[in-house]
Amino acid sequence: MTQEVLVAGETLIDFIPEQTGPLAAVESFSRRAGGAPANVAVGLAHLDSTPLFWTRVGDDAFGDHLRETLADAGLADTYVETDPVAKTGLAFVSLGEEAEREFSFHRHESADTRLQPGTVDDETLAEVEWVHVGGVTLADEPARTATLDLVERAQAADATVSFDPNARPELWAGDECSFAETVDDLLPQVDVLKVTPDDLAEADIAYDGPEATAEALLDRGPHTVFLTLGDAGSFAAATAEAPWTEAAVATFHDGYTVDPVDTTGAGDAFTAGVVAALVEGADLDEALGFANAVAAVTTTAPGAMTALPSREQVVTFRAEQS
């Protein structure tokens, strides 16, 4: 089977708390497979758009679990690397009363920071239509150089490049190359940007409402921008250069009402919905609605990867909401 999408980035173990409250007060956790790009890759597989996935995990028990999880989701192991030295990255999650989450990462020199430039060959990039990357692997070398190299070669191969900055401030503390500088350098090479107001704040980009903010972001390189706004819904805008529209267009979706259990991975589910819909030829409005539904269903179960819905579940959910 020829995959139309390549996703690249970290696969981690998320430790999800079994109670709400600050991390210092949590006594027990459940182990879950995670990592934003891994969630996107598995989300796409659940939506019948199975991608190639480039990632790196440790030669340890956590790495074994992650490789098995990716395989169970139907992802090929072509670019699922095992680092012989570095350990698998970990993230401990705390949940607030409204299911909002915070992270504490344990990934100093972990396997996902050691992605090597050139691992994905040019022949593969010539065959895929879409390449998606996240911001976490940009925080450490050599993964930063590897991610930037992949984006540059994907653009040269005429693949659509999407980017989720996924701001995690603690990962950039003391780094000689800041998150804001990295996002600024990358935007001109990105076609589709998925971003939140929090991401923009960390990138020193002013948020001035969805319409004005999207217009400012479109001026910096991408031809399509998706803004996720939490309970306020989501907004998308595209220029006439976007392949899914013949003219500049903008659209808003006010989201779906659900009882959230855990919002971990909702943004990644949204991204998977966007990519799946646009690769299949949906217009911007349909892609936004579909992505919102994927994200909404994801919040109704604990964990990130384990909560990702099937296409059938999304279709049923949208029918029930109409």
Side-chain angles (χ1 to χ4, degrees), residues 145-161:
T145 296
T147 303
L148 295 175
D149 169 74
L150 179 70
V151 168
E152 182 178 349
R153 291 190 296 118
Q155 283 281 6
D158 292 327
T160 296
V161 174

Side-chain angles (χ1 to χ4, degrees), residues 96-300:
E97 294 297 331
E98 300 299 322
E100 71 276 9
R101 74 280 187 275
E102 296 181 356
F103 294 88
S104 177
F105 289 94
H106 294 256
R107 56 182 295 276
H108 177 65
E109 297 184 353
S110 59
D112 61 289
T113 71
R114 289 157 56 92
L115 294 174
Q116 300 295 320
T119 300
V120 178
D121 55 61
D122 290 338
E123 290 77 11
T124 296
L125 291 177
E127 293 177 355
V128 299
E129 295 183 11
W130 194 297
V131 172
H132 176 74
V133 300
V136 167
T137 53
L138 295 169
D140 301 273
E141 289 288 6
R144 175 193 289 126
T145 296
T147 303
L148 295 175
D149 169 74
L150 179 70
V151 168
E152 182 178 349
R153 291 190 296 118
Q155 283 281 6
D158 292 327
T160 296
V161 174
S162 59
F163 174 51
D164 176 2
N166 195 23
R168 296 290 181 260
E170 74 171 82
L171 299 181
W172 295 82
D175 197 286
E176 58 187 46
C177 184
S178 73
F179 178 75
E181 292 170 333
T182 301
V183 171
D184 186 60
D185 289 343
L186 193 55
L187 284 181
Q189 304 178 64
V190 171
D191 300 303
V192 179
L193 176 68
K194 179 269 176 187
V195 71
T196 70
D198 286 344
D199 293 331
L200 295 175
E202 292 297 331
D204 295 333
I205 298 174
Y207 178 73
D208 189 25
E211 293 88 352
T213 302
E215 183 177 352
L217 291 169
L218 292 171
D219 287 342
R220 298 179 69 165
H223 58 56
T224 304
V225 170
F226 289 88
L227 282 163
T228 56
L229 307 171
D231 292 342
S234 60
F235 180 84
T239 70
E241 296 178 1
W244 27 84
T245 183
E246 296 180 355
V249 62
T251 183
F252 176 79
H253 193 286
D254 57 10
Y256 294 99
T257 301
V258 295
D259 293 322
V261 173
D262 181 3
T263 60
T264 305
D268 307 327
F270 179 94
T271 301
V274 163
V275 176
L278 293 178
V279 166
E280 292 169 2
D283 62 22
L284 196 67
D285 188 65
E286 168 59 19
L288 187 64
F290 183 77
N292 271 275
V294 178
V297 176
T298 299
T299 67
T300 61

